[in-house]
Amino acid sequence: MQIRHKALAEGVELAVCQSEQFKTGLLSVTLAVPLAQRTATAYALAPEVLFRGSRNYPDMERLSAAADQLYGAVIGPGVRQRGESQCVSFLCSFIDDRYALDGTALLEPAAQLLGEVLLDPATEGGVFCKDYVAGEGANLADEINARVNDKRGWSIFRLTQEMCAGEAYALDKLGDAQQAVALGPQELWGHYQRLLEGARVIFYYGGSAEPDRVEQAVRRSFASLIRDRNTHLPCQVVARPGQGVRRVEEGMDVTQGKLAMGFRTGGVTMGTPDYPALLVCNALYGGTAHSKLFRNVRERMSLCYFVSSMLDAVKGLMVVSSGVEFAQFDRAEQAILEQLEAVRRGDFDQAEHQAAVRSVVNALLSRRDSQGQMEQDCVTQLLAVGGWTAPEELAAAVERVSPQQVAHVAGQIGLDTVYRLTEKEEG
Amino acid sequence: MEHTDYAALGERVYASKLPNGLQILALRRPEYSRQFAFFATRYGGMDLRFRGEDGTGWVDTPAGIAHFLEHKMFDTEDGNALEILAANGAVDNAFTAAHITGYYFEGTRGFEENLRTLLSFVSVPYFTPESVAKEQGIITQEIRMCQDEPETVAYYQLLECLYAHHPIRNQVVGTVESIAGLTPELLYACHRAFYRPGNMVLCVAGRVDPDRVADLAREILPPDASAAAQVDLGQPEPPGAVRPTARREMAVSMPLFALGFKGEPAPAGERLRQELVGQLACEVLLGPSSPLYRRLYEQGLVNATLDCYYDAAPGCAHLMVSGESRDPEQVLEQLLQEAGRLARDGVDEGLWERLKRAAYGGMVRRLNSLESTCIDLAQAYFEGEDYLRFPQRFQSVEREHVRQLIARWCTRERAALSLILPAGGAAQSRERR
């Protein structure tokens, strides 16, 4: 099950992962542009407006009915951030032809429906419908404002905003709530046309159909997108933190504190030679239930309800996220840093190293078992490094990582910013 | 081992019952990289009162004990099972719901070794006063975290409105007070009462050898074939909701709601069928292609967070709607109106055919996930039903059944509304460098 990818035009690619493993097929279109203050809100809003209705299915009820007819095809937009790119994606998951009760082919009509939503929207006076723009603008503003409801997610979001202030990375991929309600149909239409003309385009298909059949369906349904374009998608990697650790503390009406700590990975990112070692290092330090953070800070010292580390391998960041009692902030922070120090010293045994390697290998090979994860990985890699590395290949590199390499990579990791979400002060 | 083929779905399930009563189900999926194993007991957060070991008196246990037990099962004499499995590269976890506790792992290698670990740590309890005391600290943190989750608070507030005394009202995690009095003895008693092979199911999926799985289970699990303790779920519930509404203030950006319609539990053998009728009723009432959803969405009364689903446990069943809204009362009013219209006029035939087709596709899609499929198979087994016979169930369901369910359940007397309202969510910021 290899992924085959080819250019359909300059800056327009098609990746196909042919397999009979799943009951469904997945088709996605991703429009990728640099994340920018001026355009982020419009690019997050446009796909929501598109899913309010197309020319042939001009409202949600009819659009949804068309998807129901395709055995409940799941069709919808997704805005993703990859490094400092904003990826506006349109996804359609539909059951494989083999399981349709009446034996109809579903790939072609699904591609057609998706193409119609993107390229033939419902309009009023040549631009998006006014009510749809107003309604979705309000929804987007609500969604942005609702980030605060999930306290763990909020603490990580606030951390990266503070840590990467001044870098495009700190911008919200959903844009700005005030801009969202202020955008009018004419202005949004202009933005969307520029997105269609300028974005890098990636089509992805996973499912049982032959690549040729997929290409034909894509060419037929997305003809106007398949034109040359030249989009540069930069991502500023800050190898090391500035002078002094930046500290931010915010109060909120919560019963449990959240501690989020942001690190720079010393310039190690996806595609660099040390990347496999960084994966092992993260797993050993805080990525699994066998990690140092889990076993020591959570289990042995009982300092946190949860504590784990995660990577953004495109941007070169590591974040440690934990839930702690207010009184334990200082002790938890200290313990978390001591564990990193231990990894740097090479203070871990063969069993810990092996467990970390196994868990990374397991996670990589498991990606094969999810159509959605394969899509994510393929799009991420094509955007970040311009090519596709199979999970098996990366897993083999991970197996070769030595304890010395792990300690060396840990030595490159530097603490940049600490964010604490604590209880609200009285008065 | 015997197997059943489900031709329309392209599935084959091997099934066998061991002499000790353990049911084994194995779903062969040779094309998957991973293997998945799910080991579950028919025991959860609502099973608080059960018959004691001498068979005469009733034992009352504190809320949260099943969940506490789940946490403690990972302790073994050789260390923490999570770490043992993680050392092998496998990922494992567990969950406690109202009426089931499940333990699982997934991995790409070392399946048999991992399965040994799973079967052994779930069947051999090992508690000490120290480890119980320590866990009280950890779970107190988890309870605090749940108290900060608006959806969880809205959910239980709704159940308290709907039900007079059914134990589903109790939070699965319990309360800080209820778990404070837990002892190793009480935990051992619950383990003896409910973690018997005859009360459990082992469901595996992926590249697995069903006969090897059965051999390992036979080797590791106790031979005891006795039945689980009898559970008391209390008096039957009155048909109506006990309280029409409840509200609380939390740090949220806009009002969140959960509203429910109290229904009746399905008779034995009919639970999956009622679930299907209930799910289709939700789609007809408020699914993405329903007329009401479009109206509410266009009026700005609901957004994409809206969810409508059927929820049931032994002794209870209800329809539930949750989401964010500026005016949840208005959502309830329009929902009651729409239910009245559907009860009177029935379900539109075109809509019905489309929704059934879409729901069928949704269930086929769910089979992509080994996790979901194993859990669905296990839960259906506990109900005495066969999950993968859903194509047949689809054929037997008609729109009149959906109309009847809506007419009977979706009334003002059976409705309750739980609200979470914004209170000072804005963060205060201090910064120092």
Side-chain angles (χ1 to χ4, degrees), chain B residues 333-349:
Chain B
E333 285 313 309
Q334 296 205 28
L335 189 55
L336 282 167
Q337 248 177 43
E338 176 70 355
R341 186 189 70 80
L342 287 162
R344 201 173 54 242
D345 304 344
V347 181
D348 174 76
E349 191 170 355

Side-chain angles (χ1 to χ4, degrees), chain A residues 38-211:
Chain A
R38 207 174 45 78
T39 50
T41 314
Y43 293 165
L45 178 56
E48 302 293 340
V49 172
L50 291 170
F51 276 94
R52 288 298 293 270
S54 67
R55 192 159 55 87
N56 285 329
Y57 308 106
D59 59 53
M60 294 172 77
E61 199 179 338
R62 275 180 271 192
L63 188 57
S64 183
D68 286 347
Q69 209 55 44
L70 301 172
Y71 289 91
V74 176
I75 175 168
V79 179
R80 305 184 265 203
Q81 181 176 347
R82 288 295 176 271
E84 293 179 343
S85 300
Q86 185 185 22
C87 305
V88 182
S89 295
F90 302 83
L91 290 100
C92 185
S93 162
F94 43 92
I95 65 170
D96 196 272
D97 297 353
R98 291 169 294 165
Y99 303 103
L101 293 169
D102 51 7
T104 43
L106 289 164
L107 168 62
E108 287 77 9
Q112 195 189 340
L113 183 60
L114 198 59
E116 189 176 321
V117 168
L118 255 84
L119 302 170
D120 198 5
T123 54
E124 271 170 13
V127 297
F128 289 124
C129 302
K130 191 164 140 276
D131 288 352
Y132 291 176
V133 174
E136 292 310 321
N139 285 344
L140 180 60
D142 286 343
E143 193 184 341
I144 294 167
N145 292 329
R147 278 192 187 283
V148 70
N149 294 358
D150 165 15
K151 305 297 181 283
R152 182 177 187 179
W154 177 251
S155 67
I156 297 171
F157 176 72
R158 287 287 301 123
L159 168 77
T160 49
Q161 272 193 331
E162 292 290 338
M163 176 170 167
C164 302
E167 300 163 42
Y169 191 84
L171 295 170
D172 190 338
K173 66 175 180 174
L174 296 180
D176 172 83
Q178 280 177 345
Q179 273 186 35
V181 287
L183 272 167
Q186 184 82 45
E187 200 186 342
L188 185 63
W189 183 264
H191 278 295
Y192 183 56
Q193 298 313 311
R194 283 189 290 281
L195 178 68
L196 290 175
E197 281 157 27
R200 224 177 117 183
V201 182
I202 296 175
F203 293 100
Y204 178 91
Y205 168 79
S208 69
E210 297 279 338

Side-chain angles (χ1 to χ4, degrees), chain B residues 41-43 50-54 59 61 65 69 73 122-127 183-200 222 224-230:
Chain B
T41 167
R42 186 178 0 204
Y43 171 58
F50 57 90
R51 207 175 275 287
E53 283 164 83
D54 56 4
V59 181
T61 56
I65 191 166
L69 184 59
M73 290 315 299
V122 176
S123 60
V124 183
Y126 175 71
F127 315 127
T183 59
E185 293 68 38
L186 212 45
L187 293 169
Y188 279 115
C190 289
H191 189 272
R192 277 196 303 277
F194 296 105
Y195 282 64
R196 305 179 189 193
N199 196 44
M200 302 185 75
D224 169 30
S226 59
Q230 184 195 350

Side-chain angles (χ1 to χ4, degrees), chain B residues 353-388:
Chain B
E353 287 306 322
R354 279 202 312 273
L355 289 179
K356 242 178 107 167
R357 200 175 162 99
Y360 183 80
M363 292 191 77
V364 171
R365 167 174 301 105
R366 211 174 142 77
L367 298 174
N368 276 344
S369 158
L370 302 183
E371 293 87 335
S372 309
T373 308
C374 279
I375 294 171
D376 288 338
L377 286 170
Q379 287 194 317
Y381 163 73
F382 285 150
E383 306 288 1
E385 299 190 48
D386 183 350
Y387 175 71
L388 289 175

Side-chain angles (χ1 to χ4, degrees), chain A residues 21-24 52 59-61 64-65 68-69 71-74 93-95 99 101-102 104 136 138-139 142 145-146 148-149 151 162 243-256 258 288-290 294-295 298-300 302 305-306 324-325 355 358-359 361-362 365-366 368-369 371 399 422 424-425, chain B residues 8-11 29 31-34 71 80 82-84 86-91 106-109 134 138-139 141-142 144-145 147-148 150 250-254 256 288-291 293-294 297-298 302-303 324 326 354-355 357-358 360-362 364-365 367-368 370 423-433:
Chain A
Q21 182 176 350
F22 301 101
K23 309 281 181 197
T24 52
R52 288 298 293 270
D59 59 53
M60 294 172 77
E61 199 179 338
S64 183
D68 286 347
Q69 209 55 44
Y71 289 91
V74 176
S93 162
F94 43 92
I95 65 170
Y99 303 103
L101 293 169
D102 51 7
T104 43
E136 292 310 321
N139 285 344
D142 286 343
N145 292 329
V148 70
N149 294 358
K151 305 297 181 283
E162 292 290 338
Q243 282 295 310
V245 174
R246 187 175 159 83
R247 295 183 168 277
V248 182
E249 185 169 313
E250 289 176 334
M252 206 185 274
D253 185 12
V254 291
T255 56
Q256 187 190 69
K258 299 281 183 280
T288 77
H290 196 269
F294 186 91
R295 288 189 308 154
R298 180 186 188 266
E299 294 289 300
R300 189 167 58 78
S302 295
Y305 175 63
F306 64 84
V324 298
E325 284 191 68
R358 281 181 181 161
S359 90
V361 168
N362 181 59
L365 299 181
S366 296
R368 286 273 186 214
D369 290 350
Q371 231 164 17
E399 304 249 25
T422 182
K424 204 164 191 166
E425 287 187 352
Chain B
L9 303 173
E11 297 289 359
R29 289 275 182 87
E31 65 280 19
Y32 276 66
S33 311
R34 292 177 305 163
H71 271 233
N80 185 314
L82 268 174
E83 288 175 27
I84 298 170
N88 223 357
V91 180
E106 54 109 338
T108 49
R109 63 178 163 198
K134 191 182 150 199
I138 292 173
I139 294 185
Q141 284 296 311
E142 184 172 353
R144 294 239 167 91
M145 199 160 69
Q147 288 168 346
D148 284 341
M250 289 181 77
V252 293
S253 58
M254 94 187 250
L256 233 88
S289 37
S290 67
Y293 178 74
R294 177 188 156 192
Y297 196 99
E298 288 180 353
V302 301
N303 58 29
E324 300 167 352
R326 283 178 188 80
R354 279 202 312 273
L355 289 179
R357 200 175 162 99
Y360 183 80
V364 171
R365 167 174 301 105
L367 298 174
N368 276 344
L370 302 183
Q428 310 164 328
S429 189
R430 296 191 295 279
E431 190 174 326
R432 58 185 198 274
R433 176 127 208 169

